[in-house]
Amino acid sequence: MKIVELKDRIERGETTAVKAVTECLERVAAAEEGEEKINAVITLNREQALKQAREIDEKIKRGEKPGMLGGVPVAVKDVLCTKNVKTTAASRILSDFMPTYDATCVSNLKQEGAIIVAKTNCDEFAHGASGENSAYGSTKNPLDISRVAGGSSSGSGAIVAYGGAAGALGTDTGGSVRVPASFMGLTGLKPTYGRVSRKGLIAMCSSTDTVAPIANNVEDAALLLTAISSKDSCDATSSGFRGKDFSLDLLKGLKGLKIAYPKEVFGPGLEGEVKQVFLDNLERLRGQGAKVEKISLEFLGEPAVAVYYILVPSEISSNLARFDGICFGERVKEAESLKEMYVKTRTEYLGDEVKRRIMLGNYSLSAGYYDAYYNKAQKVRRLIREEVKRVFTDYDLVITPTTIGPAFKLGQKADPLSMYLVDMYLTYASLAGIPAVSLNGGWVKNKEEGRALAGLEGNENRRRPGKLPVGIQLMANWWDEETLLRGAYGLEKLVNLA
Amino acid sequence: MISAKEVKKIARLSYIKLNEREVEKFSKELSGIVDFFQVLKKIETEKVEPMMGTTELTDVLRQDKAKVCPRANELVKRAPENKDNYFKTKPILER
């Protein structure tokens, strides 16, 4: 059910917030306690959620407006702070961390009446593209439990895919909602950098971090973005404003849109069937009167991935210096000196990928390598920005596949570089700061099919036997989420009919 | 190529301790990643200014006024160790 329909039904008294939350909690129990154990959830917020739901129902009974998400159960990635609800960032170093405040995006959600049912699993500190780097175990893909959910917002995607929440907040620093969206047939919406406040987001890469919705469809994603956008004096980069409605242009149609596809996407790596899905979608857009043309984006693909994996670890090495055992989180007790305590605490409580990125960052920033790596990457980043400016003077949207293939098997990509290349088409928008969305583009053959979570049958836009979904990415100009979502909504309708 | 010696150096800078097996593993993995970075070498950037962020915002200013943080005591209380409303650590200065 669409979020907007659920909200209307609650408001009209056809169902209640308590019932909606209870149903979600039941689905979470079935998915997490059953033998499939999807592992989408780190902390279940049962008591608080039911209490909030009762309050919403009371409000409605009194005839008060419950907010644009009144009574809607949502999940929140565990890198976003929630007041007095454990927030771990999927790391052992924060295994008992209890924030004293809500992240701004979370308090915006609550103000609109949304109910937080769960804190979701993810790659540790959001470092990953598969959901396998969590200290609390990998998230499995509910469509095929032998496969990854995609990351880093793996649990936020999986819980929406199995109906444990009507929508979710993830974060997207270089593809972290777009990959799970692609691997589970969902919509992942990375807003323009600065659209949503990051106060209360445990920082990874400050120059590309965004808070980003994951939803069942484009309209829901637009609604969630409308609810969380705001300017915030506690995040100096936030420039969005509250109350902007991102669903206004959804129905404007595809006719007249000028859409570019970069020839670079046909480079090595793109799987044949995914390429076919992509080409099918170009035809769908043409069929509805959009102008679709081939262009070149010189830096899309490997150059943008290289820039990203220089800059992001560099910022991580600085942002994660705060995890030293002093102000919050875990601390190793057996240490003689302060320095020994720092080293032992970080060595004991941080995971391998986190250590890898911290070290890579310190390498790129260290004397002797700064110019060759960090400074070079910052220069190419400017070239990317200039390329983006040029393309959007001529076109409204850019379209690419989201990922080179569908969800891969758990444990398949053991080599870190092969994992980094999952972000092939995704880091580009992050480095430029432009908005991007991944929606389901179609289905490809599932070559070695594993079991699916029970209960997903019967909805062929959710799961098709023998098939796996793959995403299509759209990108738009800075601050032009309206056109982005208009294109995505129009294309989604055509994909669902196919 | 990032040698075992370099891995040990960057681990030390990162305040992370590695055993010999980990040094070998990270040396191999980080070398592969850094090799991949060479794809940037062929991009001409001599006259390009480095870009630190994407917003083109400059100087987001506010009044330089102190505000009371109502949660300060609570934050200290939730630290791994605290005493008399202070964070407690090992001595910073050696005796």
Side-chain angles (χ1 to χ4, degrees), chain A residues 176-210:
Chain A
S176 282
V177 297
R178 289 169 281 165
V179 178
S182 178
F183 288 0
M184 293 184 280
L186 304 168
T187 302
L189 172 58
K190 174 211 144 2
T192 305
Y193 179 82
R195 175 71 80 187
V196 182
S197 164
R198 280 104 37 94
K199 183 198 171 195
L201 162 61
I202 296 171
M204 168 183 170
C205 174
S206 302
S207 79
T208 65
D209 280 341
T210 62

PDB file of all heavy atoms in Angstrom, chain A residues 176-210:
ATOM      1  N   SER A 176      24.588   4.649  -1.406  1.00  0.00           N
ATOM      2  CA  SER A 176      24.114   3.771  -0.330  1.00  0.00           C
ATOM      3  C   SER A 176      22.607   3.559  -0.225  1.00  0.00           C
ATOM      4  O   SER A 176      22.177   2.638   0.460  1.00  0.00           O
ATOM      5  CB  SER A 176      24.645   4.248   1.024  1.00  0.00           C
ATOM      6  OG  SER A 176      25.985   3.859   1.164  1.00  0.00           O
ATOM      7  N   VAL A 177      21.775   4.377  -0.862  1.00  0.00           N
ATOM      8  CA  VAL A 177      20.367   3.960  -0.990  1.00  0.00           C
ATOM      9  C   VAL A 177      20.079   3.462  -2.407  1.00  0.00           C
ATOM     10  O   VAL A 177      19.139   2.710  -2.631  1.00  0.00           O
ATOM     11  CB  VAL A 177      19.310   5.043  -0.621  1.00  0.00           C
ATOM     12  CG1 VAL A 177      19.416   5.445   0.831  1.00  0.00           C
ATOM     13  CG2 VAL A 177      19.362   6.231  -1.553  1.00  0.00           C
ATOM     14  N   ARG A 178      20.916   3.870  -3.363  1.00  0.00           N
ATOM     15  CA  ARG A 178      20.638   3.490  -4.748  1.00  0.00           C
ATOM     16  C   ARG A 178      20.976   2.026  -5.002  1.00  0.00           C
ATOM     17  O   ARG A 178      20.277   1.350  -5.762  1.00  0.00           O
ATOM     18  CB  ARG A 178      21.403   4.439  -5.691  1.00  0.00           C
ATOM     19  CG  ARG A 178      20.797   5.853  -5.695  1.00  0.00           C
ATOM     20  CD  ARG A 178      21.690   6.856  -6.397  1.00  0.00           C
ATOM     21  NE  ARG A 178      22.793   7.311  -5.549  1.00  0.00           N
ATOM     22  CZ  ARG A 178      23.866   7.950  -5.985  1.00  0.00           C
ATOM     23  NH1 ARG A 178      24.012   8.187  -7.279  1.00  0.00           N
ATOM     24  NH2 ARG A 178      24.812   8.342  -5.145  1.00  0.00           N
ATOM     25  N   VAL A 179      22.032   1.504  -4.357  1.00  0.00           N
ATOM     26  CA  VAL A 179      22.362   0.084  -4.547  1.00  0.00           C
ATOM     27  C   VAL A 179      21.272  -0.831  -3.961  1.00  0.00           C
ATOM     28  O   VAL A 179      20.766  -1.710  -4.661  1.00  0.00           O
ATOM     29  CB  VAL A 179      23.760  -0.263  -3.981  1.00  0.00           C
ATOM     30  CG1 VAL A 179      24.048  -1.751  -4.155  1.00  0.00           C
ATOM     31  CG2 VAL A 179      24.843   0.552  -4.673  1.00  0.00           C
ATOM     32  N   PRO A 180      20.881  -0.659  -2.683  1.00  0.00           N
ATOM     33  CA  PRO A 180      19.790  -1.512  -2.183  1.00  0.00           C
ATOM     34  C   PRO A 180      18.501  -1.362  -2.984  1.00  0.00           C
ATOM     35  O   PRO A 180      17.776  -2.341  -3.192  1.00  0.00           O
ATOM     36  CB  PRO A 180      19.586  -1.063  -0.731  1.00  0.00           C
ATOM     37  CG  PRO A 180      20.578  -0.025  -0.439  1.00  0.00           C
ATOM     38  CD  PRO A 180      21.446   0.184  -1.616  1.00  0.00           C
ATOM     39  N   ALA A 181      18.216  -0.161  -3.472  1.00  0.00           N
ATOM     40  CA  ALA A 181      17.023   0.037  -4.301  1.00  0.00           C
ATOM     41  C   ALA A 181      17.128  -0.827  -5.554  1.00  0.00           C
ATOM     42  O   ALA A 181      16.175  -1.508  -5.945  1.00  0.00           O
ATOM     43  CB  ALA A 181      16.866   1.512  -4.663  1.00  0.00           C
ATOM     44  N   SER A 182      18.291  -0.821  -6.181  1.00  0.00           N
ATOM     45  CA  SER A 182      18.495  -1.614  -7.396  1.00  0.00           C
ATOM     46  C   SER A 182      18.364  -3.107  -7.107  1.00  0.00           C
ATOM     47  O   SER A 182      17.718  -3.832  -7.853  1.00  0.00           O
ATOM     48  CB  SER A 182      19.889  -1.316  -7.970  1.00  0.00           C
ATOM     49  OG  SER A 182      20.144  -2.096  -9.110  1.00  0.00           O
ATOM     50  N   PHE A 183      18.939  -3.565  -5.994  1.00  0.00           N
ATOM     51  CA  PHE A 183      18.991  -5.000  -5.689  1.00  0.00           C
ATOM     52  C   PHE A 183      17.671  -5.554  -5.142  1.00  0.00           C
ATOM     53  O   PHE A 183      17.492  -6.763  -5.072  1.00  0.00           O
ATOM     54  CB  PHE A 183      20.115  -5.292  -4.680  1.00  0.00           C
ATOM     55  CG  PHE A 183      21.508  -5.182  -5.256  1.00  0.00           C
ATOM     56  CD1 PHE A 183      21.719  -4.847  -6.590  1.00  0.00           C
ATOM     57  CD2 PHE A 183      22.628  -5.429  -4.465  1.00  0.00           C
ATOM     58  CE1 PHE A 183      22.998  -4.744  -7.120  1.00  0.00           C
ATOM     59  CE2 PHE A 183      23.915  -5.338  -4.991  1.00  0.00           C
ATOM     60  CZ  PHE A 183      24.102  -4.985  -6.309  1.00  0.00           C
ATOM     61  N   MET A 184      16.754  -4.660  -4.726  1.00  0.00           N
ATOM     62  CA  MET A 184      15.502  -5.153  -4.144  1.00  0.00           C
ATOM     63  C   MET A 184      14.262  -4.559  -4.821  1.00  0.00           C
ATOM     64  O   MET A 184      13.162  -4.672  -4.311  1.00  0.00           O
ATOM     65  CB  MET A 184      15.484  -4.884  -2.633  1.00  0.00           C
ATOM     66  CG  MET A 184      16.543  -5.725  -1.907  1.00  0.00           C
ATOM     67  SD  MET A 184      16.552  -5.583  -0.121  1.00  0.00           S
ATOM     68  CE  MET A 184      17.438  -4.055   0.108  1.00  0.00           C
ATOM     69  N   GLY A 185      14.454  -3.907  -5.968  1.00  0.00           N
ATOM     70  CA  GLY A 185      13.310  -3.402  -6.718  1.00  0.00           C
ATOM     71  C   GLY A 185      12.600  -2.239  -6.050  1.00  0.00           C
ATOM     72  O   GLY A 185      11.389  -2.087  -6.180  1.00  0.00           O
ATOM     73  N   LEU A 186      13.361  -1.385  -5.339  1.00  0.00           N
ATOM     74  CA  LEU A 186      12.757  -0.269  -4.603  1.00  0.00           C
ATOM     75  C   LEU A 186      13.163   1.065  -5.231  1.00  0.00           C
ATOM     76  O   LEU A 186      13.884   1.095  -6.230  1.00  0.00           O
ATOM     77  CB  LEU A 186      13.240  -0.308  -3.147  1.00  0.00           C
ATOM     78  CG  LEU A 186      12.992  -1.616  -2.385  1.00  0.00           C
ATOM     79  CD1 LEU A 186      13.776  -1.623  -1.083  1.00  0.00           C
ATOM     80  CD2 LEU A 186      11.495  -1.794  -2.112  1.00  0.00           C
ATOM     81  N   THR A 187      12.695   2.157  -4.621  1.00  0.00           N
ATOM     82  CA  THR A 187      13.104   3.493  -5.029  1.00  0.00           C
ATOM     83  C   THR A 187      14.032   4.073  -3.963  1.00  0.00           C
ATOM     84  O   THR A 187      13.663   4.130  -2.794  1.00  0.00           O
ATOM     85  CB  THR A 187      11.881   4.415  -5.178  1.00  0.00           C
ATOM     86  OG1 THR A 187      10.996   3.833  -6.134  1.00  0.00           O
ATOM     87  CG2 THR A 187      12.303   5.791  -5.654  1.00  0.00           C
ATOM     88  N   GLY A 188      15.218   4.469  -4.366  1.00  0.00           N
ATOM     89  CA  GLY A 188      16.165   5.111  -3.451  1.00  0.00           C
ATOM     90  C   GLY A 188      16.450   6.503  -3.964  1.00  0.00           C
ATOM     91  O   GLY A 188      16.873   6.662  -5.107  1.00  0.00           O
ATOM     92  N   LEU A 189      16.218   7.498  -3.136  1.00  0.00           N
ATOM     93  CA  LEU A 189      16.304   8.893  -3.583  1.00  0.00           C
ATOM     94  C   LEU A 189      17.395   9.647  -2.843  1.00  0.00           C
ATOM     95  O   LEU A 189      17.270   9.942  -1.658  1.00  0.00           O
ATOM     96  CB  LEU A 189      14.941   9.576  -3.343  1.00  0.00           C
ATOM     97  CG  LEU A 189      14.852  11.081  -3.565  1.00  0.00           C
ATOM     98  CD1 LEU A 189      15.244  11.466  -4.983  1.00  0.00           C
ATOM     99  CD2 LEU A 189      13.440  11.579  -3.246  1.00  0.00           C
ATOM    100  N   LYS A 190      18.486   9.932  -3.554  1.00  0.00           N
ATOM    101  CA  LYS A 190      19.560  10.745  -2.974  1.00  0.00           C
ATOM    102  C   LYS A 190      19.299  12.210  -3.317  1.00  0.00           C
ATOM    103  O   LYS A 190      19.343  12.576  -4.480  1.00  0.00           O
ATOM    104  CB  LYS A 190      20.912  10.320  -3.546  1.00  0.00           C
ATOM    105  CG  LYS A 190      22.070  11.200  -3.106  1.00  0.00           C
ATOM    106  CD  LYS A 190      23.136  11.248  -4.182  1.00  0.00           C
ATOM    107  CE  LYS A 190      23.857  12.554  -4.374  1.00  0.00           C
ATOM    108  NZ  LYS A 190      23.609  13.706  -3.579  1.00  0.00           N
ATOM    109  N   PRO A 191      18.988  13.031  -2.310  1.00  0.00           N
ATOM    110  CA  PRO A 191      18.678  14.430  -2.614  1.00  0.00           C
ATOM    111  C   PRO A 191      19.935  15.241  -2.955  1.00  0.00           C
ATOM    112  O   PRO A 191      21.047  14.749  -2.783  1.00  0.00           O
ATOM    113  CB  PRO A 191      18.054  14.945  -1.318  1.00  0.00           C
ATOM    114  CG  PRO A 191      18.192  13.879  -0.307  1.00  0.00           C
ATOM    115  CD  PRO A 191      18.938  12.736  -0.887  1.00  0.00           C
ATOM    116  N   THR A 192      19.725  16.464  -3.411  1.00  0.00           N
ATOM    117  CA  THR A 192      20.831  17.396  -3.584  1.00  0.00           C
ATOM    118  C   THR A 192      21.569  17.531  -2.261  1.00  0.00           C
ATOM    119  O   THR A 192      20.946  17.585  -1.196  1.00  0.00           O
ATOM    120  CB  THR A 192      20.291  18.791  -3.977  1.00  0.00           C
ATOM    121  OG1 THR A 192      19.464  18.654  -5.130  1.00  0.00           O
ATOM    122  CG2 THR A 192      21.429  19.766  -4.280  1.00  0.00           C
ATOM    123  N   TYR A 193      22.898  17.583  -2.330  1.00  0.00           N
ATOM    124  CA  TYR A 193      23.705  17.804  -1.131  1.00  0.00           C
ATOM    125  C   TYR A 193      23.235  19.094  -0.446  1.00  0.00           C
ATOM    126  O   TYR A 193      23.180  20.145  -1.090  1.00  0.00           O
ATOM    127  CB  TYR A 193      25.177  17.918  -1.538  1.00  0.00           C
ATOM    128  CG  TYR A 193      26.112  18.178  -0.392  1.00  0.00           C
ATOM    129  CD1 TYR A 193      26.566  17.138   0.402  1.00  0.00           C
ATOM    130  CD2 TYR A 193      26.536  19.467  -0.094  1.00  0.00           C
ATOM    131  CE1 TYR A 193      27.420  17.369   1.461  1.00  0.00           C
ATOM    132  CE2 TYR A 193      27.396  19.711   0.960  1.00  0.00           C
ATOM    133  CZ  TYR A 193      27.830  18.660   1.739  1.00  0.00           C
ATOM    134  OH  TYR A 193      28.673  18.891   2.791  1.00  0.00           O
ATOM    135  N   GLY A 194      22.861  19.004   0.807  1.00  0.00           N
ATOM    136  CA  GLY A 194      22.402  20.186   1.533  1.00  0.00           C
ATOM    137  C   GLY A 194      20.893  20.295   1.639  1.00  0.00           C
ATOM    138  O   GLY A 194      20.379  21.150   2.365  1.00  0.00           O
ATOM    139  N   ARG A 195      20.163  19.431   0.942  1.00  0.00           N
ATOM    140  CA  ARG A 195      18.695  19.485   0.975  1.00  0.00           C
ATOM    141  C   ARG A 195      18.159  19.089   2.359  1.00  0.00           C
ATOM    142  O   ARG A 195      17.175  19.631   2.837  1.00  0.00           O
ATOM    143  CB  ARG A 195      18.137  18.540  -0.105  1.00  0.00           C
ATOM    144  CG  ARG A 195      16.643  18.377  -0.138  1.00  0.00           C
ATOM    145  CD  ARG A 195      15.937  19.611  -0.630  1.00  0.00           C
ATOM    146  NE  ARG A 195      15.948  19.730  -2.088  1.00  0.00           N
ATOM    147  CZ  ARG A 195      15.493  20.818  -2.719  1.00  0.00           C
ATOM    148  NH1 ARG A 195      14.999  21.843  -2.040  1.00  0.00           N
ATOM    149  NH2 ARG A 195      15.532  20.888  -4.038  1.00  0.00           N
ATOM    150  N   VAL A 196      18.817  18.108   2.964  1.00  0.00           N
ATOM    151  CA  VAL A 196      18.361  17.595   4.261  1.00  0.00           C
ATOM    152  C   VAL A 196      19.484  17.800   5.282  1.00  0.00           C
ATOM    153  O   VAL A 196      20.646  17.504   4.985  1.00  0.00           O
ATOM    154  CB  VAL A 196      18.027  16.087   4.160  1.00  0.00           C
ATOM    155  CG1 VAL A 196      17.497  15.555   5.481  1.00  0.00           C
ATOM    156  CG2 VAL A 196      17.035  15.826   3.032  1.00  0.00           C
ATOM    157  N   SER A 197      19.128  18.286   6.444  1.00  0.00           N
ATOM    158  CA  SER A 197      20.132  18.513   7.496  1.00  0.00           C
ATOM    159  C   SER A 197      20.804  17.209   7.901  1.00  0.00           C
ATOM    160  O   SER A 197      20.162  16.172   8.001  1.00  0.00           O
ATOM    161  CB  SER A 197      19.463  19.127   8.716  1.00  0.00           C
ATOM    162  OG  SER A 197      20.311  19.006   9.847  1.00  0.00           O
ATOM    163  N   ARG A 198      22.127  17.256   8.152  1.00  0.00           N
ATOM    164  CA  ARG A 198      22.824  16.066   8.640  1.00  0.00           C
ATOM    165  C   ARG A 198      23.077  16.130  10.138  1.00  0.00           C
ATOM    166  O   ARG A 198      23.834  15.322  10.669  1.00  0.00           O
ATOM    167  CB  ARG A 198      24.163  15.873   7.921  1.00  0.00           C
ATOM    168  CG  ARG A 198      24.062  15.247   6.548  1.00  0.00           C
ATOM    169  CD  ARG A 198      24.240  16.248   5.434  1.00  0.00           C
ATOM    170  NE  ARG A 198      25.209  17.284   5.690  1.00  0.00           N
ATOM    171  CZ  ARG A 198      26.484  17.213   5.301  1.00  0.00           C
ATOM    172  NH1 ARG A 198      26.942  16.167   4.673  1.00  0.00           N
ATOM    173  NH2 ARG A 198      27.300  18.219   5.521  1.00  0.00           N
ATOM    174  N   LYS A 199      22.487  17.086  10.835  1.00  0.00           N
ATOM    175  CA  LYS A 199      22.684  17.088  12.291  1.00  0.00           C
ATOM    176  C   LYS A 199      22.177  15.753  12.846  1.00  0.00           C
ATOM    177  O   LYS A 199      21.046  15.357  12.586  1.00  0.00           O
ATOM    178  CB  LYS A 199      21.919  18.232  12.941  1.00  0.00           C
ATOM    179  CG  LYS A 199      22.172  18.298  14.438  1.00  0.00           C
ATOM    180  CD  LYS A 199      21.125  19.115  15.156  1.00  0.00           C
ATOM    181  CE  LYS A 199      21.306  18.971  16.650  1.00  0.00           C
ATOM    182  NZ  LYS A 199      20.125  19.447  17.379  1.00  0.00           N
ATOM    183  N   GLY A 200      23.029  15.070  13.585  1.00  0.00           N
ATOM    184  CA  GLY A 200      22.624  13.786  14.145  1.00  0.00           C
ATOM    185  C   GLY A 200      22.922  12.598  13.250  1.00  0.00           C
ATOM    186  O   GLY A 200      22.653  11.466  13.626  1.00  0.00           O
ATOM    187  N   LEU A 201      23.494  12.863  12.085  1.00  0.00           N
ATOM    188  CA  LEU A 201      24.003  11.763  11.243  1.00  0.00           C
ATOM    189  C   LEU A 201      25.452  11.529  11.644  1.00  0.00           C
ATOM    190  O   LEU A 201      26.244  12.471  11.663  1.00  0.00           O
ATOM    191  CB  LEU A 201      23.914  12.138   9.762  1.00  0.00           C
ATOM    192  CG  LEU A 201      24.771  11.319   8.774  1.00  0.00           C
ATOM    193  CD1 LEU A 201      24.385   9.848   8.807  1.00  0.00           C
ATOM    194  CD2 LEU A 201      24.628  11.858   7.363  1.00  0.00           C
ATOM    195  N   ILE A 202      25.795  10.303  11.987  1.00  0.00           N
ATOM    196  CA  ILE A 202      27.174   9.992  12.352  1.00  0.00           C
ATOM    197  C   ILE A 202      28.005  10.094  11.079  1.00  0.00           C
ATOM    198  O   ILE A 202      27.815   9.332  10.137  1.00  0.00           O
ATOM    199  CB  ILE A 202      27.264   8.609  13.011  1.00  0.00           C
ATOM    200  CG1 ILE A 202      26.472   8.630  14.321  1.00  0.00           C
ATOM    201  CG2 ILE A 202      28.716   8.223  13.255  1.00  0.00           C
ATOM    202  CD1 ILE A 202      26.279   7.285  14.976  1.00  0.00           C
ATOM    203  N   ALA A 203      28.903  11.085  11.030  1.00  0.00           N
ATOM    204  CA  ALA A 203      29.527  11.502   9.775  1.00  0.00           C
ATOM    205  C   ALA A 203      30.464  10.454   9.205  1.00  0.00           C
ATOM    206  O   ALA A 203      31.174   9.768   9.922  1.00  0.00           O
ATOM    207  CB  ALA A 203      30.283  12.804   9.987  1.00  0.00           C
ATOM    208  N   MET A 204      30.440  10.349   7.883  1.00  0.00           N
ATOM    209  CA  MET A 204      31.373   9.487   7.169  1.00  0.00           C
ATOM    210  C   MET A 204      32.220  10.373   6.267  1.00  0.00           C
ATOM    211  O   MET A 204      33.371  10.626   6.539  1.00  0.00           O
ATOM    212  CB  MET A 204      30.572   8.472   6.351  1.00  0.00           C
ATOM    213  CG  MET A 204      31.371   7.703   5.350  1.00  0.00           C
ATOM    214  SD  MET A 204      30.221   6.635   4.433  1.00  0.00           S
ATOM    215  CE  MET A 204      31.262   6.050   3.150  1.00  0.00           C
ATOM    216  N   CYS A 205      31.621  10.914   5.199  1.00  0.00           N
ATOM    217  CA  CYS A 205      32.327  11.802   4.293  1.00  0.00           C
ATOM    218  C   CYS A 205      31.532  13.097   4.217  1.00  0.00           C
ATOM    219  O   CYS A 205      30.535  13.187   3.505  1.00  0.00           O
ATOM    220  CB  CYS A 205      32.451  11.166   2.917  1.00  0.00           C
ATOM    221  SG  CYS A 205      33.166  12.296   1.713  1.00  0.00           S
ATOM    222  N   SER A 206      31.973  14.100   4.965  1.00  0.00           N
ATOM    223  CA  SER A 206      31.168  15.306   5.151  1.00  0.00           C
ATOM    224  C   SER A 206      30.867  16.031   3.844  1.00  0.00           C
ATOM    225  O   SER A 206      29.858  16.716   3.744  1.00  0.00           O
ATOM    226  CB  SER A 206      31.864  16.258   6.118  1.00  0.00           C
ATOM    227  OG  SER A 206      32.068  15.588   7.338  1.00  0.00           O
ATOM    228  N   SER A 207      31.723  15.890   2.825  1.00  0.00           N
ATOM    229  CA  SER A 207      31.469  16.653   1.602  1.00  0.00           C
ATOM    230  C   SER A 207      30.526  15.925   0.644  1.00  0.00           C
ATOM    231  O   SER A 207      30.160  16.481  -0.388  1.00  0.00           O
ATOM    232  CB  SER A 207      32.786  17.032   0.912  1.00  0.00           C
ATOM    233  OG  SER A 207      33.308  15.950   0.190  1.00  0.00           O
ATOM    234  N   THR A 208      30.120  14.689   0.957  1.00  0.00           N
ATOM    235  CA  THR A 208      29.130  14.017   0.097  1.00  0.00           C
ATOM    236  C   THR A 208      27.985  13.352   0.863  1.00  0.00           C
ATOM    237  O   THR A 208      27.024  12.897   0.239  1.00  0.00           O
ATOM    238  CB  THR A 208      29.761  12.939  -0.825  1.00  0.00           C
ATOM    239  OG1 THR A 208      30.284  11.876  -0.028  1.00  0.00           O
ATOM    240  CG2 THR A 208      30.852  13.493  -1.694  1.00  0.00           C
ATOM    241  N   ASP A 209      28.041  13.271   2.202  1.00  0.00           N
ATOM    242  CA  ASP A 209      26.973  12.618   2.970  1.00  0.00           C
ATOM    243  C   ASP A 209      25.604  13.268   2.724  1.00  0.00           C
ATOM    244  O   ASP A 209      25.488  14.502   2.782  1.00  0.00           O
ATOM    245  CB  ASP A 209      27.235  12.751   4.484  1.00  0.00           C
ATOM    246  CG  ASP A 209      28.252  11.745   5.011  1.00  0.00           C
ATOM    247  OD1 ASP A 209      28.505  10.733   4.345  1.00  0.00           O
ATOM    248  OD2 ASP A 209      28.772  11.981   6.128  1.00  0.00           O
ATOM    249  N   THR A 210      24.589  12.440   2.461  1.00  0.00           N
ATOM    250  CA  THR A 210      23.215  12.953   2.416  1.00  0.00           C
ATOM    251  C   THR A 210      22.302  11.972   3.150  1.00  0.00           C
ATOM    252  O   THR A 210      22.593  10.783   3.217  1.00  0.00           O
ATOM    253  CB  THR A 210      22.675  13.083   0.969  1.00  0.00           C
ATOM    254  OG1 THR A 210      22.642  11.783   0.348  1.00  0.00           O
ATOM    255  CG2 THR A 210      23.510  14.011   0.117  1.00  0.00           C
TER     256      THR A 210
END
